[in-house]
Every structure is written in structure tokens, then in C-alpha cells.
Amino acid sequence: MDPWNSAQDVVRCTLCKTSDAPMYCEVCHINLCKDCVEKHFSDSSIVHKVVSLQHYLTTLSYPKCMTHPDQQCELHCEQCDIPFCTLCVLSRKHLGHSQVSILKTIEIKKEVLQRELQELEKSIYPKYKEMASNISVQKDDLGKISKILSTAINKHGEFWHREVDTIIKNLISKVEEMESKHLVVLTKAEDEITHTISEITKSIADVKKLLDSKDVCRVSEHKSRNAEFRRLPPKLKVSLPNFRPKEINTDQMIEQFGSLSELSLPREEQDYRLSIQGAESSTQDRSLIDEPRLITSLKRWYNYELYGVACLNDVEIWTRGGDNMIKLFNIWGDLVMSIQTKSRMRPLDIAVTLNGDLVYTDEENKTVNKVKMMNAQIQTVITLQGWKPLGVCSTFFGELLVIMNSDDYKPTKVVRYSGSIETQIIQYNDRGKPLYSSNDTKYITENKNLDICVSDNGAHAIVVVNQAGKLRFTYSGPPSTTKGSFVPYGITTDSQSRILTADINNHRIHILDQDGQFLRYIDNCHLQTPRGLSVDTKDNLYVAEYKTGNVKKIQYYM
């Protein structure tokens, strides 16, 4: 619609899609025609509040225009991602930009909020409550078993002379120490879950307030925490020790009296986080299906080359193309946000961090940049000297892995960063040979088992090293692959530690297991020049098609 030469479209009924909608339900947040009001009220499971659309619109709290502070904003520029008023239209601001009514923008946002609330109440909250209950039971069992162990030791000790009393006391002390350590771990886990439940409860309350809010700014600024809450802690269960008595032998009393088995506890934070990842994988065992299924094809998101995608969550996807814009779309094809790179040159790769921020690499100014979702401000976190960043990914521990080419054709390397601090360099194998080809395009991801996976199209291979940087395997296609015909680009991994890579020239996706064994192709979904790959939390695969500008959503698991 051209806002300077045509009138705004009339508001249509959300239910029948055809009639004008003079009414609005403030509970369900939908437009209604007169014929559909009665049908809407027939749903007695909800207490509806239907008012005139005019009344709803006049009571909304619209933001003030930044250019004309005395005017309310009624339109939203999708390219600039800002609201503006009718005077801005008359002054021909945002000329040629895609525009929608601010009401439509808020309606889309509230639909997302409704789904967020449902997930919090129906899925996330009950799981945390169940885990809190399980830990409480384990704490009760811990005390009982500790008492049983102490009793068994004392009973066995009655058959010994006073010379072994010290041994008995030492072992009981060890039991108490184990109980104390175990209790600390369980209490800590319980406290963390209780705190998270409190946060979820607060988030539920906040989302409910937003759903009933008429403050456009508050609704627009809301940032979902569902992705954070989905990462469930492990169902913590520590194996308890047992007492193994032996026959009395005076010469070998200490050895013969018996011993307690070692307490099995996470040794450090890394072990604990690995157990979290293991818990997530075990609860979602997804086998491959015989025939991958195309769920949807989002047409023509770009009118030119489309290079990559990165899932922000299950309904929003970041994309990058041949220009200097990084765009966030939802799964219905609506543009949610646009970010222009600092250098005004195209980004070479994009990724999403654990807390939902966007990261992109910029070859022009040799930087890695972070975009905060809260305010869309670009922050340069890494600046390189003599090297150009290529692919980037966020690790399970919140670090960044960056693969980069040198200005003077030195071997390509992978660098791990904690913030802006370089903590690890991966460049050569055990024989001092380069792991990666020089120059050419490369992308990087981290697997659930903490392997670092690189698609090296210059070497026509996927190169996988472990967390310490030791080469695990190189994949150059199935045994029947003609040498050099495999040209990998985008790479991603799923919840089962499978590795997926885009074979752009052969128009298909390769799926490997975590040890580099070829499992199958995805070659039946009419793929055309697949380049960028990403998976959401449900392992749905998003494929960016380089030449068509389309994004395809594919299911390949049961």
C-alpha cells in the first residue's frame, strides 16, 4: 500500500477473513465482525471482553513521534524499525519503505506473547516443579541411607578389638563427609531450580500483564526468556556409597574392615554443564525418518542471493544476504527487525548467543560484532590485526569460536574467545600440518559433544576436532563421491550430535553422525543451491537457498 496515494485497508474479521470488523476482543486479541461475535462468545472456556474497535484503538497508549513529539505514532516502518506519525507521511519521510499499521505490529507481537505464555504454563513450569519434587525425595533418601550405612559399620565394628575403633570412627566420619558433600550439591540444585521457578512465575505474571496492557512501548520492548527456561537442568541423581565388610584379619585390619565406594559428583562446572546437555539429549531421542518432509517454503525473502540463516527461537530467524542488512523474520514471513552493519558491507556470517543476542563477522573492518536484542545497538567485541574473520558460532559455555584467514596467506586458524580475550588457537594437527585450507569460505559450529566442526569448501571437506583441538576426523563425502565434487558451505548440528552440511553444487544436505559416518542425504525437498543452515530447538532444519532467496523449513526426524 502506498500511504501517499491510497487509503488504509479496512480491518477484516480475524475469524471469517472477509467482513469488516467493528468489534475487538481484548482477551483473545482478535478483530470481529458482527456475525462472528456470537460465535466467539460460544467458547465458554474463556471470559471474553468484546468492545468496539474504535474504543479499543482510542484507548491504546501510542508512542510519541520522535520527529513530531506532539503527534502519536500510528504507523511502523519495517525497514527502519521505528514508529512514525501521519505528519511524517506528509513530509515524505520513510518514502519507499515497507510500512504497516502499528496496531498490526502489536497484534503480531501479542500472538507471540500468547504462545510464550502457553509454553511457560503448560510445559516449562510443570517440568521445573517435577524436578524440584524429585530432589526433595532424594534428600530424604540420602538421610535414610546414610543412617543405614553408619549402622552397618557400627555393627561390623562390634566384632573388632579396641585397636580398630579409630578405623570405625574414620569411616563414619567419611560417611558424614560424603553426606555433607551430597547434601550441598542437592541443596544447590534445589536452590537453583527454586530460583528459576520464581523467575518463571514472574515471567508468567509479566507476560499476562503485557497481554492485558495497552502500552505499545512496553509490549514492543518485551524480550522473551522462554529460550533460557527451555534449557532444563539435569535430573540430578548421585550414586550413593555402600559398605563392604571383610573377614577379620589382625595383620591387615585396615584393609579387611571394609571401605566406602567413592561419591559420584560433578567434579567442576564443565562436568555439570555436560550433564545438562546429556539430559537434554536423552529426553528428546529423535531418529531419522525415511523421507524428510518439507514443512514450508518462505518465498523470496531476498530478491537476490541469500547466504545464511540463524534461528533466534522457534518462530524467529535471522537472515543475511548480499547486502549490508541483517534481517529478522518470523515464520509467517513478516519482517521483525533490520540491522545495518557498521561498515555498510555485507556480513560474512551470523550466529545467535546463549542469551539471544546476534553476532556477525565483518571482513571489511576485521571485526566480530554483537547486537543486543534489547536496544539493537552494535558493539564490536573483537578486532583483528592481520586476520579476516569468516565463520562464527556461540559455544555451549557462552564463548565465541571464530575461524579466520590471514592477510598474508598463512594457514587458516580457529580461535576461541571468552568475551574479547583469546583463550585457544587451533591451527595444526599432531604432525604440524595445517588443519584447514588457506583462504576460501569456511563456516563453523560446535557439536553437543563439544567437537568443533568446520566446513572447508577449499578443501572440499568437513574438518572436526575435539574441544582440545585434536583432529577427530575429516569427511569428504560418502565413499562413492567423486573427488572434489563435494563443496560444503553452511554447517549445523542437532540435539543428537548429528552434523548437517549444505552441498551447494549437488543441491542436497549431508547428515553425519558425531563420528563422521554418513547417514543419509536430504535431497527430496526440491532444494536449489542450499547454502546456509540452522536448526531450532525442535531440530527443524532451516535452509537458505542461495539463488532463489527462499528459506525452507524441513523435518528430517521422527
Side-chain angles (χ1 to χ4, degrees), residues 317-421:
I317 308 101
W318 283 107
T319 62
R320 65 182 183 91
D323 63 354
N324 58 21
M325 302 300 295
I326 307 173
K327 299 179 182 180
L328 180 66
F329 290 89
N330 61 31
I331 57 176
W332 303 281
D334 301 311
L335 179 65
V336 179
M337 183 185 298
S338 295
I339 302 294
Q340 186 178 57
T341 62
K342 272 188 174 182
S343 67
R344 299 184 182 274
M345 300 296 288
R346 72 174 179 90
L348 286 192
D349 198 16
I350 55 176
V352 174
T353 67
L354 287 178
N355 60 5
D357 293 332
L358 171 70
V359 176
Y360 73 89
T361 56
D362 194 323
E363 183 183 32
E364 180 68 17
N365 54 21
K366 300 179 180 179
T367 60
V368 180
N369 305 274
K370 183 180 291 185
V371 183
K372 290 285 185 182
M373 289 297 294
M374 185 67 69
N375 53 21
Q377 295 297 311
I378 300 176
Q379 173 192 3
T380 297
V381 292
I382 301 167
T383 301
L384 303 176
Q385 300 291 333
W387 295 84
K388 296 177 181 178
L390 302 174
V392 62
C393 77
S394 178
T395 73
F396 293 107
F397 297 158
E399 303 160 302
L400 291 179
L401 289 171
V402 184
I403 187 162
M404 55 190 74
N405 285 335
S406 71
D407 292 343
D408 55 357
Y409 302 100
K410 290 180 180 178
T412 297
K413 65 181 179 180
V414 170
V415 182
R416 186 189 301 271
Y417 290 92
S418 177
S420 57
I421 300 174

Side-chain angles (χ1 to χ4, degrees), residues 280-313:
E280 289 177 342
S281 297
S282 63
T283 56
Q284 298 179 345
D285 185 16
R286 293 177 173 141
S287 302
L288 297 177
I289 57 178
D290 292 334
E291 202 73 14
R293 182 170 67 91
L294 178 63
I295 299 175
T296 186
S297 181
L298 304 166
K299 302 290 186 181
R300 304 302 296 177
W301 274 10
Y302 282 73
N303 294 324
Y304 37 79
E305 299 90 353
L306 180 59
Y307 287 85
V309 288
C311 292
L312 174 61
N313 48 50

Side-chain angles (χ1 to χ4, degrees), residues 454-470:
V454 171
S455 67
D456 186 343
N457 69 8
H460 302 276
I462 301 299
V463 182
V464 176
V465 301
N466 64 17
Q467 187 183 15
K470 290 180 67 69

Side-chain angles (χ1 to χ4, degrees), residues 145-167:
I145 294 175
S146 294
K147 290 179 181 179
I148 293 172
L149 286 172
S150 298
T151 301
I153 293 170
N154 277 314
K155 186 175 180 179
H156 192 62
E158 292 175 359
F159 299 98
W160 286 69
H161 300 288
R162 285 191 301 179
E163 289 86 344
V164 301
D165 284 347
T166 302
I167 299 173

Side-chain angles (χ1 to χ4, degrees), residues 63-73 80-85 88 93-94:
K64 299 295 184 182
C65 181
M66 292 186 294
T67 307
H68 307 94
D70 58 333
Q71 296 291 314
Q72 288 185 334
C73 298
C80 302
D81 193 26
I82 59 172
F84 61 97
C85 68
C88 292
K93 287 183 177 295
H94 308 285

